[in-house]
Amino acid sequence: MKPTTRARYKRIRQAATFLYGTMPVMELYTRLAIDFECSEESIRKILAKKHH
């Protein structure tokens, strides 16, 4: 994975962490998709990955 992609995914995960609990999860996916200009499905996949 490219370093720029890793940085983007990290920003998405950080934004999600900040927003969890402030709105329903489906709205959170929609908001992140709009903010980061990608699909909701992409956001779900990024947030679903486990990091060790």
Side-chain angles (χ1 to χ4, degrees):
M1 183 181 307
K2 293 181 180 180
T4 53
T5 303
R6 287 184 189 183
R8 178 182 169 97
Y9 285 11
K10 183 177 179 180
R11 287 193 316 268
I12 291 171
R13 287 191 300 272
Q14 287 173 340
T17 300
F18 181 76
L19 294 173
Y20 278 133
T22 62
M23 63 182 74
V25 175
M26 294 308 288
E27 287 182 28
L28 183 138
Y29 293 151
T30 302
R31 179 172 173 180
L32 291 175
I34 291 168
D35 290 348
F36 288 94
E37 299 178 353
C38 60
S39 70
E40 290 179 39
E41 185 63 30
S42 296
I43 295 293
R44 285 189 207 110
K45 287 180 181 179
I46 292 166
L47 297 178
K49 289 185 180 180
K50 294 182 180 180
H51 300 283
H52 301 281

